[in-house]
Amino acid sequence: MRLVELLRLSLETFRTHRMRSFLTALGIIIGVMTVIAIVSLIQGMNYEVEKQISSLGSNTIFIQKFAFGMGRLDWDEINKRPNFTMDDALAISQLPTIEKVAPSRSRSIGKVTWRSNKVTNVDMSGSTPALAEVGNYTVETGRFINSDDSLRRNQVCVIGGYIVDNLFPYETPLGKRLVLDGKSYLVVGVLARKGSFLGQSQDNVVVVPITSFEKDFAPGRGFGELMYSIAVAAMPKKGVPIEKAIDDVRELMRRRHKLGYDKPDDFGISTQDTIRDIYRNITRVAYIVMIAVAAISLLVGGIGIMNIMLVAVAERTREIGLRKALGATNQDVLWQFLLEAVMLSLVGGAIGVALGLGIAKVVELAAHLKAAAPLWTILVGVGFSAGVGIFFGIYPASRAARLNPIQALRYE
Amino acid sequence: MLIRTDNITKTYMAGTVAVVALDGVTVDIGKGEYVALMGPSGSGKSTLMHLLGCLDTPTSGRYWFNDRDISTLDDIELAHLRNREIGFVFQSFNLLPRLSARANVQLPMLYAGMPVRERQARAAELLEMVGLKDRMTHNPNELSGGEMQRVAIARAFANRPSVVLADEPTGNLDSKTGVEIMRIFGSLAEKGNTIILVTHDQAVAGHARRIIHLADGKIVT
Ligand SMILES: Nc1ncnc2c1ncn2[C@@H]1O[C@H](COP(=O)(O)OP(=O)(O)OP(=O)(O)O)[C@@H](O)[C@H]1O
Ligand SMILES: [Mg+2]
């Protein structure tokens, strides 16, 4: 018999058993939906995070009290670690393999005001002029903080676009005096916009000289101090491999901290790659969860399909006997039932793809992610559901094909 | 000779007991014959029809259909034979309930791989032949028993088979409707079709030109 006829025949069941078909396909629907939704969300995240990680600069070394990473941190031990000092930063900058060093401190400040306008929860960094290059900041108008500002502890600041939008909708911000948590600072420059990350503006920032930060915004002792300890971003000289620069920095810091050869580092060094690894680890977990959920629901869905196909074969025993009497070959019958199983799971897979894309779209709108299901996930989803249909449909179909026509015709 | 059997037997195993349904049947039926098969219940009439229709294979003995030894054919060749050379009419009609009369008639042509247009035209022609021209789009549940059996007859003749086998085609019908059905068989036999039908009814058998009596699995004419 021709494929078109077989297809038409296999679609018949959707007309006659609507609810039953839907419930049977539910496992497949959920499995495929999970894959599509999670993959497109992770793809969206990847895009955002990769943009973010690249903006750190592939060649920058971050030296802090502890390295970025996953897993449990021993806070008691970390608290006992010595703080980084400006002298440490200076020593690092004098290494022959290091080009530039930007020490910085950062914290969030409650509010920034100009006249009656205000912005809350602003990220403030205290740093040196080197931050412009090391931290990938571009000045749009005005200037960045300079060495004179650092030296004299000038109360000047460079602000991000979000603050400009909210404080100076109609004026130029340059030359205006802002109030940063009660301290008056002069705006000398505006930073180029970096856009938003996961719906959070990255332009809600203020950069001041690190010396002024120490004077006006240094946090008290305790846990807070740990978070605000100086962090050093360093850039190796041109042509120096980043690993060599990292070795030099580690060597230097161990010497400065007088660590014995058997003692572990009491500071952490991270790079763009470490951060990328952390992110990869998180997404790997998400992928494993997704694969588990999808595999289980496809398995359950497949068993459901096998069950319903066995029911269908039993219900239609007389029909099978009749078709054979009228000239259907075993293969015709096999194909009829196999295609029916495949259609059932394929339609389930298609609904799953649609729902998965829908979920991704909703999350995209809610979380400002560029969620996109790559074509391969759709193909994999549809392919897998077809595979499940074949795998779990072959047994019922071959049972139908092997039925003895006389017994089948006599079946009540 | 269209149908030739040589001493065929059929033994069923019912649990541990062997039931001999056919016990050495030798029969020749030629092209164009109209044969009635009679006999008491359990005498093996249906069993013989199934063997002649290639739905089942004999336990022993030989069967030639159009001079081809059936035992040499594989499953696909047998399906082909049933499709092209043999038409079935059952006591219980056996129409597919979700298909229209026309679609039911088309089934054998579907398995013969006939193109849709040709198939539909032929189905219309066949339904007209059995007097159901205006019922083509009706489903079986919208038809009377006699009408359903007429659809089944149209289906049996779809691929212009060499022989049509009808096992008690009037068994589920009242006598008046039964007569109508027999008239259709009669006129089809008239046109040269080979028909073998099983019946309990002497009057029905009277329409046929040859009667074969079966008792305890043996021919007793
Ligand atoms: N599948 C089977 N298994 C066991 N015994 C069977 C089977 N089919 C038929 N028989 C037996 O074979 C014998 C012949 O049966 P068959 O159906 O051919 O009789 P019949 O002449 O058609 O009877 P009826 O007029 O009642 O339809 C009976 O004794 C029956 O019980
Ligand atoms: Mg019988």
Side-chain angles (χ1 to χ4, degrees):
Chain A
M1 202 169 30
R2 277 171 227 200
L3 191 65
V4 199
E5 308 287 354
L6 280 167
L7 276 175
R8 202 199 322 249
L9 210 57
S10 61
L11 288 170
E12 170 80 4
T13 182
F14 295 103
R15 210 147 53 83
T16 53
H17 295 295
R18 242 169 255 180
M19 194 61 181
R20 183 165 106 178
S21 304
F22 172 73
L23 291 176
T24 303
L26 207 53
I28 309 285
I29 293 177
I30 292 172
V32 172
M33 183 184 80
T34 313
V35 173
I36 302 283
I38 295 188
V39 170
S40 37
L41 290 179
I42 291 180
Q43 293 282 322
M45 286 273 274
N46 284 351
Y47 176 79
E48 293 275 317
V49 171
E50 188 44 50
K51 210 168 64 180
Q52 199 67 14
I53 292 174
S54 326
S55 78
L56 292 173
S58 59
N59 223 12
T60 310
I61 306 167
F62 302 92
I63 310 131
Q64 280 156 311
K65 275 177 94 168
F66 54 92
F68 303 135
M70 293 234 297
R72 201 179 286 272
L73 289 173
D74 182 352
W75 287 111
D76 286 341
E77 189 266 327
I78 288 170
N79 264 317
K80 289 195 195 101
R81 291 179 174 187
N83 277 335
F84 274 86
T85 62
M86 289 302 280
D87 288 343
D88 290 331
L90 189 66
I92 293 171
S93 73
Q94 282 163 354
L95 281 169
T97 46
I98 296 295
E99 167 80 35
K100 251 191 176 120
V101 155
S104 69
R105 302 249 250 163
S106 53
R107 60 173 289 194
S108 149
I109 58 171
K111 67 176 187 212
V112 173
T113 55
W114 183 69
R115 296 197 182 146
S116 60
N117 298 342
K118 104 178 157 179
V119 180
T120 52
N121 286 321
V122 179
D123 286 327
M124 169 181 278
S125 300
S127 193
T128 62
L131 184 71
E133 191 175 347
V134 180
N136 246 335
Y137 284 104
T138 318
V139 174
E140 196 178 76
T141 52
R143 61 170 179 84
F144 203 66
I145 48 173
N146 60 28
S147 45
D148 189 50
D149 296 328
S150 289
L151 219 60
R152 295 166 188 264
R153 301 185 173 194
N154 285 343
Q155 288 183 312
V156 295
C157 64
V158 183
I159 60 177
Y162 181 83
I163 296 178
V164 176
D165 291 345
N166 285 280
L167 298 189
F168 305 101
Y170 308 114
E171 276 115 316
T172 166
L174 296 181
K176 304 287 188 324
R177 287 207 154 264
L178 303 183
V179 180
L180 309 178
D181 257 2
K183 306 284 196 293
S184 172
Y185 271 68
L186 181 73
V187 180
V188 295
V190 172
L191 297 169
R193 288 169 195 264
K194 288 191 168 183
S196 64
F197 176 58
L198 302 180
Q200 196 89 24
S201 171
Q202 297 182 85
D203 299 312
N204 190 6
V205 292
V206 173
V207 180
V208 300
I210 192 164
T211 45
S212 321
F213 186 102
E214 308 258 358
K215 188 178 70 183
D216 290 336
F217 305 105
R221 297 202 66 80
F223 186 75
E225 187 196 4
L226 170 71
M227 303 305 289
Y228 303 138
S229 159
I230 287 182
V232 180
M235 249 168 65
K237 281 219 167 74
K238 260 212 160 56
V240 174
I242 191 162
E243 294 76 19
K244 171 83 177 86
I246 290 172
D247 283 349
D248 285 358
V249 170
R250 172 170 289 126
E251 183 79 20
L252 174 75
M253 287 313 299
R254 288 182 67 88
R255 219 167 44 236
R256 289 180 66 85
H257 287 175
K258 299 191 172 60
L259 291 176
Y261 69 93
D262 54 342
K263 289 274 180 7
D265 289 353
D266 60 357
F267 52 90
I269 298 177
S270 322
T271 63
Q272 196 189 42
D273 283 339
T274 359
I275 298 166
R276 197 174 274 127
D277 283 348
I278 297 164
Y279 175 71
R280 293 238 171 92
N281 274 324
I282 298 170
T283 54
R284 180 162 345 127
V285 173
Y287 270 120
I288 289 171
V289 169
M290 169 196 86
I291 289 168
V293 171
I296 291 171
S297 34
L298 285 181
L299 181 71
V300 171
I303 292 170
I305 285 180
M306 180 145 96
N307 177 50
I308 220 69
M309 288 314 296
L310 286 172
V311 170
V313 171
E315 276 176 349
R316 283 150 63 185
T317 302
R318 272 184 85 89
E319 175 189 326
I320 295 163
L322 174 75
R323 286 181 184 275
K324 286 190 160 187
L326 297 184
T329 61
N330 291 358
Q331 248 189 38
D332 286 331
V333 176
L334 182 92
W335 276 111
Q336 178 184 343
F337 284 89
L338 188 58
L339 268 180
E340 191 169 315
V342 171
M343 277 298 148
L344 207 53
S345 58
L346 259 186
V347 168
I351 295 175
V353 167
L355 287 179
L357 291 178
I359 291 178
K361 192 81 203 165
V362 168
V363 177
E364 174 178 340
L365 294 176
H368 305 274
L369 269 178
K370 240 201 185 70
L375 188 64
W376 68 263
T377 54
I378 297 177
L379 294 180
V380 163
V382 170
F384 257 91
S385 43
V388 165
I390 293 173
F391 186 82
F392 289 95
I394 195 86
Y395 172 66
S398 68
R399 248 172 81 147
R402 283 200 311 265
L403 276 179
N404 176 315
I406 307 230
Q407 275 161 19
L409 274 169
R410 203 176 277 149
Y411 183 89
E412 291 305 325
Chain B
M1 205 41 70
L2 179 64
I3 282 172
R4 202 145 63 82
T5 72
D6 179 26
N7 208 25
I8 52 174
T9 68
K10 181 74 189 179
T11 308
Y12 291 110
M13 289 306 296
T16 55
V17 199
V19 179
V20 180
L22 287 179
D23 188 8
V25 171
T26 302
V27 70
D28 289 354
I29 295 169
K31 229 174 167 41
E33 280 200 78
Y34 184 13
V35 182
L37 192 55
M38 295 195 74
S41 185
S43 57
K45 303 182 296 294
S46 296
T47 304
L48 181 57
M49 292 293 264
H50 291 152
L51 291 179
L52 296 183
C54 300
L55 283 169
D56 210 351
T57 49
T59 311
S60 71
R62 313 274 297 270
Y63 171 27
W64 294 269
F65 188 95
N66 255 336
D67 298 325
R68 290 171 81 189
D69 187 344
I70 292 307
S71 63
T72 63
L73 303 183
D74 63 21
D75 281 350
I76 294 174
E77 288 170 319
L78 284 173
H80 235 70
L81 191 71
R82 289 195 294 267
N83 184 232
R84 310 290 172 96
E85 305 289 343
I86 297 165
F88 286 97
V89 177
F90 304 92
Q91 181 176 348
S92 51
F93 323 133
N94 276 330
L95 300 179
L96 293 187
R98 279 185 285 277
L99 299 184
S100 66
R102 186 167 55 183
N104 266 290
V105 174
Q106 285 182 52
L107 277 176
M109 302 185 261
L110 187 80
Y111 288 112
M114 197 185 282
V116 191
R117 289 167 151 272
E118 209 177 308
R119 224 160 63 202
Q120 289 191 331
R122 171 91 179 128
E125 179 187 308
L126 285 158
L127 284 167
E128 190 170 356
M129 175 187 85
V130 295
L132 288 177
K133 194 181 174 206
D134 51 345
R135 296 298 173 87
M136 292 208 287
T137 57
H138 289 228
N139 276 20
N141 60 4
E142 298 159 343
L143 298 174
S144 72
E147 287 165 339
M148 285 198 269
Q149 197 58 302
R150 284 194 268 165
V151 173
I153 292 170
R155 180 180 66 191
F157 283 89
N159 286 335
R160 301 189 170 85
S162 302
V163 60
V164 167
L165 305 170
D167 194 347
E168 298 190 48
T170 60
N172 280 4
L173 303 172
D174 60 55
S175 52
K176 186 170 157 286
T177 317
V179 170
E180 273 174 41
I181 293 298
M182 289 316 297
R183 209 172 23 236
I184 293 174
F185 275 114
S187 78
L188 284 164
E190 217 82 314
K191 287 178 193 151
N193 292 295
T194 314
I195 296 167
I196 305 172
L197 65 83
V198 171
T199 181
H200 285 292
D201 189 335
Q202 193 63 54
V204 168
H207 292 276
R209 270 169 258 145
R210 174 178 167 195
I211 300 179
I212 297 172
H213 285 280
L214 217 58
D216 291 330
K218 290 190 174 78
I219 292 181
V220 292
T221 321

